[in-house]
């Protein structure tokens, strides 16, 4: 009896062959979705013309072979193998989308043989062997498949219908472009717009703190009266009265000494990796994903695990790999100083190895690939500077996770000063490291990019009740700061935590469970699409809505708030939950979402006259070469037209490319991202040095062409550094973005 095993991508097929051989049958990989939904005009030719119409067929949108990458060849190979087999084992990702990727092939070709399902959340040999020893009947996965079909069909109906409607009703006459509306895209625009409005409407407030020098027998130190935000001192006269009372005040100190420990941070998933790279080096989300993808499946590299991870944990089976990974990494020059004689294993949700935390998740945290440790050095020489930088970060994260806790002694000191017969507390905090533990893996760079608490200092020896005298009190004027704009990394983090923008408790909880809006594989592309449509722009690394984007948001928030609400995704997920649990038929869920789309179409039609101008330039006139047809979008495939509509490129003329597009080798659902020829922001030398010898020694040319900060910015930065007793990094004196980042971080 012949058995065919279908995987979601080539890396799964390779790992299965290594773990199982041919014991269970022939293994063939897909390349993400090998099928696409038919275009509206493939279902109804009348839908070729854009109009405010609900694009819902009588039944379901049928599937068509996708022609991208190697998809057609892989579908052909799987189809041929299905004709000759008696049984199929689906070994795609264990989530809803993975079930759809595998099962839609069987539905498309009409396969009616026996089908079983392998479920696994990691791809190490033991996990894979255990999964194949416990195969499930695929019939038990039918509700999950139907929920995936409902999500796919509903997204097509909802997004395309409303994109066409918005474009035809809201776009100003004579202007070009596409107003893309989507369940994920439009709430993402709303997140950026809400922050922009918060910044514009922010009214700074002046407040005051009082700092004085405390002198004891063994030395002196700074004490500060800095009330909590709700009790801040708004009146300078009140602050000066406190300063006068503190001058030469003598009284006992209350001293508490605690020995504390801090566990290492979580491992990286893709969103946290994008956030860190954005904060540390100014990378876009797409650039982080592209570099990670190259480390994962680049020719002769394959140094990390699957980068589109959606969890920050590893399976407990991977505990056995820790000694080998640690031994290999500490042989590298950048990590040779680390003493990790015995890896520290932390289990459970408070640790790093947790099977329960991976339930229903397809991909564990991003870590170094245990399967390439024997020839690590030869692979490292193939890396670009960006790849070295990112690989070093991932290595440090893993090493920190298996190192001891950071231990320190914290001394807290308070002294009450009577002001108008009321005690006013002056405080100081000091921290003495006892054991660096995992912090040794990062050196001077914090893994999460957070600075040390600015109020901490080195204190002289102190005893509880010891008398001290305050002198030289000063009033410090401060001002509240508006929240910072998002960069691409922090926007990805906001998308993942979109539940924070939802008020309804049930929707908040469901959105938190769904890990926000979008997926690790799609969030960077959503942001890129908003920028391509000219709904989002950028000032350096900071994102902001364009006038058109803000206009669209304000229009939709007033007329159709459902479209800008992240809670819409939670409502959809609750409907899909009912399909999974058998409480709802998937077709009725599609019908319900289509009905909501139809209602919203009517709402948008009522907004005619908005006249939104995306500000896109008119297409340049082109002259056809002699003997050739003029270039236009008319000759593109239906699939290309649909993609263009979804991304805002529908009206752009096609351009001939002289360079062959990269072909994905692993076939992830969203496809391997192309590397952009032009990068946006390059990491500063200080960041590279902080990453150790694996990082580049010098910045690339574009880093040296940056704008210089203004004189006022530098003066404010120097004043801020002096006032807070911190060093002003050299790049801040020469680089506009570095200086502004320093001000954003410390001027609060």
């Amino acid at each position: 009896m012949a058995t065919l095993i279908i995987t979601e991508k080539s890396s799964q097929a390779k790992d299965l062959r290594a773990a199982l051989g041919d014991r269970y049958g022939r293994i063939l990989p897909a390349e993400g979705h090998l099928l696409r939904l038919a275009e509206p005009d493939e279902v109804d030719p009348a839908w070729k013309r854009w109009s405010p119409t609900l694009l819902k067929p009588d039944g379901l949108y049928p599937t068509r072979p996708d022609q991208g990458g190697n998809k057609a060849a892989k579908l052909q190979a799987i189809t041929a193998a299905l004709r000759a087999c008696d049984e199929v084992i689906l070994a795609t990702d264990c989530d809803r989308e993975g079930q759809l990727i595998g099962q839609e092939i069987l539905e498309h070709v009409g396969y009616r043989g026996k089908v079983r399902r392998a479920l696994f959340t990691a791809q190490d040999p033991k996990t894979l062997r255990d999964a194949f020893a416990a195969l499930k009947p695929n019939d038990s996965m039918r509700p999950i498949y139907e929920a995936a079909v409902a999500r796919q069909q509903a997204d097509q109906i909802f997004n395309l219908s409303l994109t066409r409607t918005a474009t035809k009703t809201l776009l100003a006459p004579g202007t070009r472009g596409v107003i893309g509306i989507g369940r994920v895209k439009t709430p993402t625009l709303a997140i950026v717009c809400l922050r922009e409005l918060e910044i514009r409407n922010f009214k700074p407030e002046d407040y005051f703190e009082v700092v004085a020098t405390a002198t004891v027998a063994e030395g002196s130190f700074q004490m500060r009266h800095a009330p909590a935000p709700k009790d801040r001192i708004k009146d300078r006269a009140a602050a000066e009265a406190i300063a006068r009372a503190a001058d030469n005040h003598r009284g006992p100190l209350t001293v508490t000494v605690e020995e504390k420990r801090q566990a290492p941070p979580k491992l990286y998933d893709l969103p946290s990796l994008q956030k860190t790279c954005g904060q540390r080096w100014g990378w876009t989300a797409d650039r982080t994903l592209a570099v990670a993808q190259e480390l994962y499946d680049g020719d002769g590299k394959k140094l990390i695990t699957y980068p589109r991870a959606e969890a920050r944990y590893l399976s407990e089976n991977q505990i056995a790999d820790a000694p080998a990974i640690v031994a290999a990494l500490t042989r590298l020059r950048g990590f040779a100083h680390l003493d990790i004689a015995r890896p520290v294993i932390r289990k459970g949700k408070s640790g790093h190895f947790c099977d329960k935390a991976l339930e229903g998740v397809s991909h564990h945290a991003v870590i170094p690939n245990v399967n390439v440790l024997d020839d690590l050095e030869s692979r490292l020489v193939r890396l670009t500077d960006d790849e070295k930088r990112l690989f070093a970060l991932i290595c440090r994260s893993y090493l920190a996770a298996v190192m001891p806790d950071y231990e320190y002694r914290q001394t807290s000191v308070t002294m009450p000063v009577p002001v108008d017969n009321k005690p006013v507390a002056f405080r100081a905090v000091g921290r003495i490291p006892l054991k660096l533990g995992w912090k040794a893996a990062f050196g001077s760079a914090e893994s999460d990019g957070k600075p040390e608490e600015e109020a901490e200092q080195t204190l002289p020896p102190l005893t509880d009740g010891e008398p001290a005298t305050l002198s030289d009190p000063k009033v410090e004027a401060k001002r509240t700061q508006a929240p910072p704009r998002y960069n691409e990394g922090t926007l990805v983090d906001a998308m993942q935590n979109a539940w924070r923008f939802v008020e309804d408790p049930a929707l908040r909880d469901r959105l938190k469970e769904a890990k926000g809006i979008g997926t690790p594989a799609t969030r960077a592309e959503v942001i890129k699409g908003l920028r391509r449509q000219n709904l989002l722009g950028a000032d350096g690394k900071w994102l902001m809505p364009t006038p058109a984007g803000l206009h669209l948001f304000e229009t939709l928030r007033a007329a159709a708030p459902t479209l800008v609400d992240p809670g819409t995704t939670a409502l959809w997920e609750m409907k899909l939950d009912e399909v999974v649990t058998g409480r709802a038929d998937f077709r009725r869920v599609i019908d319900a979402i289509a009905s909501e789309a139809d209602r919203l179409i009517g709402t948008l039609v009522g907004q005619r006259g908005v006249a939104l101008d995306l500000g896109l330039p008119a297409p340049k006139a082109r002259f056809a070469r002699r003997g050739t047809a003029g270039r236009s979008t008319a000759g593109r495939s239906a699939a290309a037209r649909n993609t263009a509509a979804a991304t805002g490129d529908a009206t752009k003329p096609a351009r001939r490319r002289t360079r062959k597009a990269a072909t994905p080798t692993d076939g992830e659902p969203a496809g391997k991202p192309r590397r952009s020829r032009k990068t946006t922001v390059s990491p500063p030398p200080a960041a590279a040095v902080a990453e150790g010898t694996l990082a580049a020694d010098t910045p690339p040319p574009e880093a040296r062409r940056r704008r210089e900060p203004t004189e006022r910015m530098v003066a404010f930065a120097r004043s801020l550094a002096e006032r807070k007793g911190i060093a002003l990094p050299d790049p801040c004196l020469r680089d506009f973005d570095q200086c502004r980042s320093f001000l954003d971080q410390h001027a609060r």
Side-chain angles (χ1 to χ4, degrees):
M1 183 174 73
T3 299
L4 174 65
I5 301 170
I6 300 175
T7 69
E8 186 166 324
K9 43 193 170 278
S10 299
S11 61
Q12 282 178 335
K14 180 181 176 182
D15 290 343
L16 279 171
R17 290 186 192 110
L20 307 173
D22 58 2
R23 191 182 324 158
Y24 287 88
R26 184 183 180 190
I27 302 171
L28 287 178
E31 188 177 313
H33 284 280
L34 298 184
L35 301 162
R36 62 172 177 84
L37 293 185
E39 293 293 314
D41 57 89
E42 292 177 294
V43 174
D44 185 343
W47 286 345
K48 189 167 187 175
R49 181 180 178 84
W50 282 34
S51 64
T53 303
L54 181 67
L55 303 171
K56 184 181 184 302
D58 291 335
L60 301 177
Y61 274 98
T63 52
R64 299 280 189 266
D66 195 327
Q67 301 302 315
N70 293 324
K71 293 176 185 286
K74 289 187 174 179
L75 179 61
Q76 188 176 5
I78 291 173
T79 301
L82 285 170
R83 293 194 190 104
C85 75
D86 305 297
E87 181 184 17
V88 170
I89 299 174
L90 295 182
T92 49
D93 287 352
C94 67
D95 58 7
R96 191 169 65 201
E97 205 66 18
Q99 187 66 30
L100 178 62
I101 285 169
Q103 193 162 340
E104 69 181 356
I105 297 173
L106 305 183
E107 300 282 344
H108 183 78
V109 303
Y111 180 78
R112 292 294 176 261
K114 181 179 179 182
V115 185
R116 291 191 289 172
R117 186 68 161 98
L119 297 170
F120 48 87
T121 58
Q123 291 178 204
D124 59 279
K126 184 177 186 305
T127 297
L128 294 176
R129 286 193 287 267
D130 288 348
F132 273 74
L135 294 170
K136 298 179 64 172
N138 192 56
D139 287 346
S140 65
M141 306 296 290
R142 184 80 193 178
I144 294 176
Y145 168 70
E146 290 180 346
V149 169
R151 195 279 312 157
Q152 182 188 47
Q153 296 276 333
D155 263 335
Q156 171 121 329
I157 296 166
F158 190 89
N159 294 352
L160 295 187
S161 300
L162 290 165
T163 290
R164 291 187 177 196
T165 299
T167 301
K168 297 303 288 184
T169 59
L170 304 182
L171 200 63
T175 60
R176 68 186 289 262
V178 170
I179 301 176
I181 301 292
R183 174 178 57 87
V184 175
K185 178 185 296 182
T186 313
T188 300
L189 172 65
I191 289 171
V192 180
C193 289
L194 287 169
R195 175 58 58 88
E196 185 66 21
L197 292 173
E198 187 179 0
I199 292 169
R200 293 185 185 186
N201 296 328
F202 181 80
K203 291 182 172 55
E205 291 186 349
D206 293 325
Y207 65 98
F208 304 92
E209 295 179 357
V210 183
V211 62
T213 300
T215 303
V216 293
E218 296 290 334
S220 62
F221 58 97
Q222 296 288 302
M223 297 192 78
R224 178 179 296 270
H225 175 59
K230 63 183 179 67
D231 299 319
R232 281 174 174 158
I233 305 170
K234 306 291 178 64
D235 179 15
R236 186 179 189 98
E240 289 173 346
I242 294 172
R244 286 193 298 272
D247 195 17
N248 292 318
H249 173 75
R250 184 172 177 81
L253 299 174
T254 300
V255 180
T256 59
V257 180
E258 301 174 274
E259 296 206 352
K260 296 189 172 184
R261 55 199 306 139
Q262 182 181 349
K266 299 292 184 192
L267 295 161
Y268 287 117
D269 59 3
L270 180 60
S272 59
L273 204 57
Q274 289 168 319
K275 181 180 180 182
T276 299
C277 293
Q279 289 176 326
R280 189 171 295 187
W281 306 319
W283 288 10
T284 64
D286 192 52
R287 180 177 176 182
T288 301
L289 177 55
V291 175
Q293 188 75 31
E294 186 65 20
L295 285 173
Y296 168 64
D297 62 7
D299 186 31
K301 297 170 185 175
K302 298 178 173 57
L303 285 161
I304 63 171
T305 57
Y306 188 67
R308 291 178 171 94
E310 53 191 322
R312 304 186 70 175
Y313 296 91
L314 300 176
S315 72
E316 292 170 22
N317 283 336
Q318 292 171 281
I319 292 172
D321 295 333
I325 295 176
V326 168
L329 295 182
T330 51
R331 284 195 294 270
L332 299 175
R333 185 160 55 94
F335 307 124
H337 66 287
L338 298 176
D339 181 16
I340 315 178
R342 179 178 296 177
V344 178
I345 304 301
R346 299 173 178 86
K347 291 186 182 181
K349 289 195 174 181
S350 62
H352 302 91
F353 298 87
C354 181
D355 288 344
K356 190 170 184 58
L358 291 174
E359 289 178 358
V361 175
S362 299
H363 304 292
H364 59 66
V366 185
I367 62 169
N369 182 3
V370 68
N371 298 314
V372 299
L373 300 178
D374 293 340
D375 59 343
L376 208 49
E377 292 281 4
S378 66
R379 294 171 187 268
L380 292 177
V381 299
R382 299 185 176 97
L383 303 186
T384 65
D385 288 346
D386 279 355
E387 289 161 6
K388 290 176 184 176
R389 201 171 275 118
L390 185 58
F391 183 60
L393 183 66
I394 292 167
C395 290
R396 293 179 192 280
S397 170
Y398 184 87
L399 290 170
V402 294
M403 291 177 70
D405 290 351
Y406 167 55
E407 298 180 28
Y408 60 94
R409 180 180 296 120
Q410 181 169 295
T411 302
S412 301
V413 187
T414 58
M415 172 191 275
V417 174
V419 179
D420 295 333
N421 297 319
K422 292 181 181 179
V424 170
F426 278 70
R427 293 185 173 85
V429 178
R431 180 182 287 188
I432 300 173
L434 302 176
K435 293 180 181 178
L436 274 181
W438 61 267
K439 288 208 170 194
F442 292 97
S444 60
E446 285 291 318
S447 64
D448 55 5
K450 293 180 182 176
E452 289 287 342
E453 291 181 38
E454 61 187 48
E456 292 180 355
Q457 57 184 306
T458 301
L459 300 176
L462 298 170
T463 57
D464 188 34
E466 180 177 359
T469 301
L470 296 179
S471 62
D472 195 24
K474 293 184 177 66
V475 174
E476 289 187 354
K478 294 180 177 288
R479 174 170 286 189
T480 57
Q481 300 292 317
R485 290 187 171 96
Y486 293 106
N487 60 39
E488 289 203 13
T490 54
L491 181 54
V492 165
D493 182 68
M495 293 169 74
Q496 186 181 32
N497 294 287
W499 55 269
R500 293 172 181 158
F501 303 97
V502 177
E503 294 183 4
D504 183 276
L507 296 184
R508 282 170 65 93
D509 290 345
R510 188 60 189 89
L511 200 55
K512 190 184 296 187
E513 188 181 333
K515 294 185 171 64
I517 56 176
T519 69
T522 61
R523 290 183 184 121
E525 193 61 37
V526 168
I527 297 169
K528 212 159 78 170
L530 286 167
R531 296 186 66 175
R532 195 159 43 223
Q533 289 181 317
N534 206 33
L535 295 172
L536 287 185
D539 178 12
K541 70 178 183 179
W542 305 108
L543 295 172
M544 61 184 67
T546 62
L550 197 56
H551 188 183
L552 177 63
F553 166 70
E554 295 281 27
T555 300
L556 296 179
R557 180 166 67 163
T562 301
L563 292 176
V564 298
D565 184 4
T568 298
T569 288
L571 285 169
W572 282 35
E573 290 295 338
M574 292 169 116
K575 293 178 189 294
L576 297 175
D577 289 344
E578 293 181 353
V579 175
V580 172
T581 57
R583 289 177 290 154
D585 179 77
F586 78 102
R587 293 175 188 271
R588 290 191 177 180
V589 169
I590 297 170
D591 290 344
I593 293 172
S595 295
E596 174 65 6
D598 199 26
R599 182 188 70 80
L600 291 167
I601 287 170
T603 300
L604 293 181
V605 168
Q607 298 300 306
R608 285 186 189 274
V610 168
L612 194 146
D613 184 355
L614 293 176
L616 295 172
K620 295 179 181 178
R622 292 178 179 268
F623 296 93
R625 292 183 181 177
R626 186 175 298 171
T628 64
R631 297 173 193 170
S632 73
T633 59
R636 286 192 285 174
S637 68
R641 291 198 304 275
N642 183 56
T643 301
T647 61
D649 280 344
T651 57
K652 290 186 180 179
R655 291 184 294 174
R656 183 171 299 169
R657 297 188 182 273
T658 56
R659 202 172 135 196
K660 186 177 178 183
T663 301
T665 56
D666 270 344
E668 296 76 22
K672 176 181 171 181
R674 291 192 188 99
R675 271 206 236 164
S676 172
R677 288 191 230 172
K678 184 177 180 183
T679 54
T680 51
V681 183
S682 183
V689 171
E691 287 309 313
T693 56
L694 286 177
D697 293 324
T698 57
E702 63 262 33
R704 297 191 290 271
R705 294 197 296 268
R706 290 171 168 168
R707 291 183 295 162
E708 292 186 353
T710 65
E711 291 182 6
R712 291 182 65 183
M713 287 174 66
V714 172
F716 184 39
R718 289 185 192 276
S719 165
L720 202 59
E722 182 179 351
R723 191 165 72 238
K724 296 197 172 187
I726 56 179
L728 179 65
D730 286 340
C732 293
L733 304 176
R734 301 185 300 272
D735 184 279
F736 183 92
D737 288 336
Q738 289 294 312
C739 189
R740 185 168 62 183
S741 178
F742 177 89
L743 294 175
D744 288 341
Q745 184 176 356
H746 296 288
R748 298 186 179 185

